[in-house]
Amino acid sequence: MQRPLAASLLTTLALALALTGCADPAPPPDTTPPTTPTGLTAVSGSATTVHVMWEAATDDRAVTGYEILQDGRKVKDLPAPHVMTDVTGLAPGTRHAFAVRARDAAGNTSPPTAAVAATTRRATAEDRRPPTAPRALRAAPAGATAATLTWTAARDDRRVTAYDVYQAGVRIHTAPGDTTTARLTGLRPGTAYSFTLRARDAADNSSPDSPPAELTTAPAPGAPPNTSPRDLAATSAHGEIALTWTPPETGGPVTHYQLHIDGRFATTIVWGADPPTGRATYDFSAQAKPGTTYTLTLRARLPDGTWGDFSAPRTVVVR
């Protein structure tokens, strides 16, 4: 004879069935691939490397990486949000076709871009002499997220093959050696930037940095005015670093600044009741040996207690 289930067991089973019935359905699988990246360029700056760049793709969830194709074969994986890379180890004087496709977390990949060809430089006799530094670098905003750079060409005993654009010591763009202009995209609205330029030859010798060029991108529609300290300057002597800058226009006195060195918080600079309204100054000891390079940025605490935008970065060599 079958025995009835205990009341407590019946209750447990009923609750489990109810919870199962009320549970949210599993999210649908992600089958939508990212869009194809745009703006692909490939520039050979030496006998063994090609620099590949592109504009970011989009996805209904998120782009997680990019696959670089050389002659139809995948040769590199790159995590998002990186949109540039060097393909190395190539043979001198060879032509290759490069393409890029985007990937999302579910493994969906976009169609590849149209292939762009580049030919590596021919091997030459040993060359140890770098080009001269580019001159007269100028930067002009092109809306809220782009900028145009122009410069006077560098000179080399053989030939300049590429120009590398740096921001805060990091290369962000490479232009062909036969041009004197570059367009930068993917910048942030209402943000101060400082760029430098190096010329490079076929032996990968790089010139000294050009003098920096600064700009502030246009603010996004409806955004508050720029709140970054302006005209930051840095000098070094006898192990001391001296900073000067113009306070931002915030509608009130600025008594606190944060100093960041190489992208990391270093200290808070505090004034008393009467902070400077003209050029402000601050000196500190460099805790590094001579020849060390620092990248410095500064931001102000606004009258409402929030922190404003960072200044354009300034590079200084410890003396």
Side-chain angles (χ1 to χ4, degrees), residues 278-294:
R279 292 289 288 177
T281 62
Y282 176 70
D283 298 345
F284 66 96
S285 296
Q287 304 298 316
K289 63 182 180 181
T292 301
T293 299
Y294 283 145

Side-chain angles (χ1 to χ4, degrees), residues 89-226:
L90 305 175
T94 56
R95 187 177 187 273
H96 300 280
F98 297 91
V100 176
R101 61 190 177 203
R103 185 181 63 250
D104 64 18
N108 301 307
T109 57
S110 73
T113 62
V116 173
T119 301
T120 54
R121 306 289 173 176
R122 294 192 178 278
T124 58
E126 186 175 12
D127 178 9
R128 296 183 179 275
R129 183 179 299 177
T132 62
R135 296 176 291 113
L137 180 64
R138 300 286 184 269
T145 60
T148 299
L149 303 184
T150 58
W151 60 88
T152 299
R155 298 187 304 277
D156 188 66
D157 60 332
R158 299 187 182 180
R159 186 157 66 98
V160 173
T161 58
Y163 289 97
D164 296 322
V165 180
Y166 286 80
Q167 180 204 344
V170 177
R171 186 176 66 172
I172 62 168
H173 187 86
T174 294
D178 59 357
T179 188
T180 55
T181 184
R183 179 177 172 82
L184 308 180
T185 59
L187 306 180
R188 296 190 303 274
T191 301
Y193 289 93
S194 179
F195 303 105
T196 56
L197 191 69
R198 297 177 195 169
R200 186 158 43 95
D201 63 19
D204 273 341
N205 299 309
S206 289
S207 74
D209 285 349
S210 70
E214 298 181 354
L215 64 82
T216 299
T217 52
N226 185 273

Side-chain angles (χ1 to χ4, degrees), residues 30 107 129 144 208 241 279 314:
D30 180 6
R129 183 179 299 177
I241 295 178
R279 292 289 288 177
R314 181 63 63 237

Side-chain angles (χ1 to χ4, degrees), residues 4-298:
L5 292 171
S8 59
L9 180 56
L10 289 171
T11 302
T12 301
L13 289 172
L15 180 59
L17 290 171
L19 289 174
T20 301
C22 295
D24 291 334
D30 180 6
T31 59
T32 303
T35 61
T36 300
T38 58
L40 178 67
T41 61
V43 177
S44 175
S46 76
T48 60
T49 64
V50 169
H51 186 68
V52 183
M53 295 186 299
W54 59 92
E55 300 291 337
T58 59
D59 188 64
D60 59 336
R61 300 190 184 181
V63 173
T64 59
Y66 295 95
E67 298 176 358
I68 292 80
L69 309 179
Q70 174 192 325
D71 301 325
R73 179 174 58 90
K74 185 174 77 170
V75 293
K76 263 191 152 180
D77 280 301
L78 200 69
H82 296 280
V83 291
M84 60 184 286
T85 189
D86 285 323
V87 179
T88 60
L90 305 175
T94 56
R95 187 177 187 273
H96 300 280
F98 297 91
V100 176
R101 61 190 177 203
R103 185 181 63 250
D104 64 18
N108 301 307
T109 57
S110 73
T113 62
V116 173
T119 301
T120 54
R121 306 289 173 176
R122 294 192 178 278
T124 58
E126 186 175 12
D127 178 9
R128 296 183 179 275
R129 183 179 299 177
T132 62
R135 296 176 291 113
L137 180 64
R138 300 286 184 269
T145 60
T148 299
L149 303 184
T150 58
W151 60 88
T152 299
R155 298 187 304 277
D156 188 66
D157 60 332
R158 299 187 182 180
R159 186 157 66 98
V160 173
T161 58
Y163 289 97
D164 296 322
V165 180
Y166 286 80
Q167 180 204 344
V170 177
R171 186 176 66 172
I172 62 168
H173 187 86
T174 294
D178 59 357
T179 188
T180 55
T181 184
R183 179 177 172 82
L184 308 180
T185 59
L187 306 180
R188 296 190 303 274
T191 301
Y193 289 93
S194 179
F195 303 105
T196 56
L197 191 69
R198 297 177 195 169
R200 186 158 43 95
D201 63 19
D204 273 341
N205 299 309
S206 289
S207 74
D209 285 349
S210 70
E214 298 181 354
L215 64 82
T216 299
T217 52
N226 185 273
T227 56
S228 62
R230 292 170 287 130
D231 306 321
L232 177 65
T235 58
S236 178
H238 309 296
E240 295 284 318
I241 295 178
L243 301 181
T244 63
W245 67 91
T246 301
E249 297 176 0
T250 64
V254 177
T255 59
H256 291 66
Y257 293 87
Q258 278 187 351
L259 173 64
H260 287 238
I261 300 177
D262 295 337
R264 296 185 296 273
F265 170 77
T267 189
T268 300
I269 305 166
V270 182
W271 269 276
D274 298 313
T277 55
R279 292 289 288 177
T281 62
Y282 176 70
D283 298 345
F284 66 96
S285 296
Q287 304 298 316
K289 63 182 180 181
T292 301
T293 299
Y294 283 145
T295 298
L296 311 173
T297 52
L298 205 64

